């Protein structure tokens, strides 16, 4: 029991490079404000699950790497595991704004061949947060 | 032991040490080329940004696996990184590129055996397309093993010491 009390703070201090500067709710509010419209989780789900043709042929959909269940682990095309995207399954998700922007920037371009709009980001965040 | 025998033994010991020291750099490249060395050892990535950024999607491949020209081409087009956009902030990108170039297979100005058969004017961008890599893997990997690994990019699926630079056969 005593050991557990000591280990927990040590673990919290030891987790590096995890800059929690935001939350799913805050991101949702920010992207919705930028978009000027309310987010729609159903639209986010549709965007996530759809096959697109504008991006790179190797990555036609978010599901190519993340699978169709964001609560489950995904797999990169290299074979490396990807932690779940849904905050309910992985509390670190959607808490680091630089990380969110970096990966939406890369992956919207890979899958759609363009940047995601603030509205699309809001929809995706709304859907992932709802799971 | 008389004085002259002692001196002779000392000189002999010094001589052996000197020869060893002189040979060490010559032996190092043979091991570092990660192919013929008994241990299949290549220096692992020690640069933190390279380890973190490259290692997110795949093992941070040792810089010594590719020549400078390959790393330059890879790091110059991260927006089209083998079918994905892997763009980085410019400062981080330049930092990683500098590390990879400084530690590339031909960084010392000499051409190691690992680059034998490589067209240096247009070297492959994939480690898996190097002649030695193909020779070592093409006939050895069963479709089942490859399926289990998920991709030829997943070294550690078969080489358990890969992250530490050990690529011996498991």
């Amino acid at each position: 029991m005593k050991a557990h009390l000591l280990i927990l703070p040590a673990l919290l201090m030891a987790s590096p490079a995890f800059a929690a500067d935001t939350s799913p709710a805050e991101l949702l509010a920010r992207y919705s404000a930028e978009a000027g419209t309310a987010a729609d989780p159903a639209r986010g789900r549709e965007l996530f699950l759809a096959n697109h043709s504008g991006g790179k042929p190797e990555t036609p959909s978010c599901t190519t790497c993340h699978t169709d269940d964001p609560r489950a682990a995904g797999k990169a095309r290299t074979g490396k595991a990807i932690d779940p995207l849904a905050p309910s399954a992985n509390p670190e998700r959607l808490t680091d704004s630089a990380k969110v922007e970096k990966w939406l920037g890369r992956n919207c371009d890979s899958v759609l061949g363009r940047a995601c709009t603030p509205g699309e980001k809001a929809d995706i965040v709304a859907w992932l947060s709802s799971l | 032991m008389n004085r002259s025998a002692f001196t002779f033994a000392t000189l002999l010991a010094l001589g052996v040490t000197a020869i060893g020291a002189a040979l060490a750099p010559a032996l190092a490249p043979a091991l570092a080329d990660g192919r013929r060395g008994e241990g299949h050892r290549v220096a692992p990535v020690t640069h933190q940004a390279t380890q973190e950024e490259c290692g997110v999607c795949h093992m941070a491949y040792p810089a010594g696996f590719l020549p400078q020209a390959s790393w330059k081409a890879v790091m110059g087009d991260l927006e089209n990184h083998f079918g994905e956009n892997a763009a980085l902030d410019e400062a981080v990108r330049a930092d990683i590129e500098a590390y990879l170039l400084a530690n590339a297979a031909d960084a010392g100005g000499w051409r190691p055996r690992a680059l034998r058969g490589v067209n240096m004017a247009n070297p492959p961008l994939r480690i898996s397309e190097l002649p030695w890599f193909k020779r070592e893997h093409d006939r050895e990997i069963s479709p089942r093993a490859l399926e289990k690994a998920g991709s030829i990019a997943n070294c550690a699926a078969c080489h358990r010491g890969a992250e530490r630079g050990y690529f011996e056969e498991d």
Side-chain angles (χ1 to χ4, degrees), chain A:
Chain A
M1 183 65 197
K2 254 182 190 168
H4 286 127
L5 289 174
L6 287 172
I7 286 167
L8 186 62
L11 280 177
L12 288 174
M13 282 186 291
S15 83
F18 171 37
D21 68 340
T22 189
S23 66
E26 207 177 285
L27 281 170
L28 184 58
R30 189 192 309 168
Y31 288 139
S32 301
E34 274 179 50
T37 54
D40 178 356
R43 225 165 31 209
R45 178 179 180 275
E46 207 175 304
L47 180 69
F48 191 93
L49 297 179
N51 273 308
H52 305 271
S53 55
K56 302 185 193 300
E58 292 89 345
T59 52
S61 171
C62 308
T63 64
T64 303
C65 298
H66 294 294
T67 81
D68 58 8
D69 180 6
R71 287 163 298 190
K75 193 158 102 175
R77 290 166 51 243
T78 57
K80 189 154 182 158
I82 304 174
D83 292 336
L85 287 178
S88 61
N90 178 4
E92 279 195 20
R93 287 296 186 200
L94 308 179
T95 62
D96 179 339
S97 49
K99 195 169 171 183
V100 171
E101 275 296 299
K102 171 181 165 182
W103 285 100
L104 281 173
R106 286 175 163 187
N107 295 348
C108 289
D109 182 57
S110 295
V111 173
L112 303 173
R114 59 169 175 81
C116 285
T117 64
E120 287 169 333
K121 293 180 189 177
D123 292 344
I124 294 272
V125 169
W127 182 53
L128 294 178
S129 312
S130 75
L131 296 171

Side-chain angles (χ1 to χ4, degrees), chain B residues 102-115:
Chain B
N103 294 278
D106 56 346
W110 47 270
R111 192 170 154 179
R113 220 158 21 183
L115 295 179

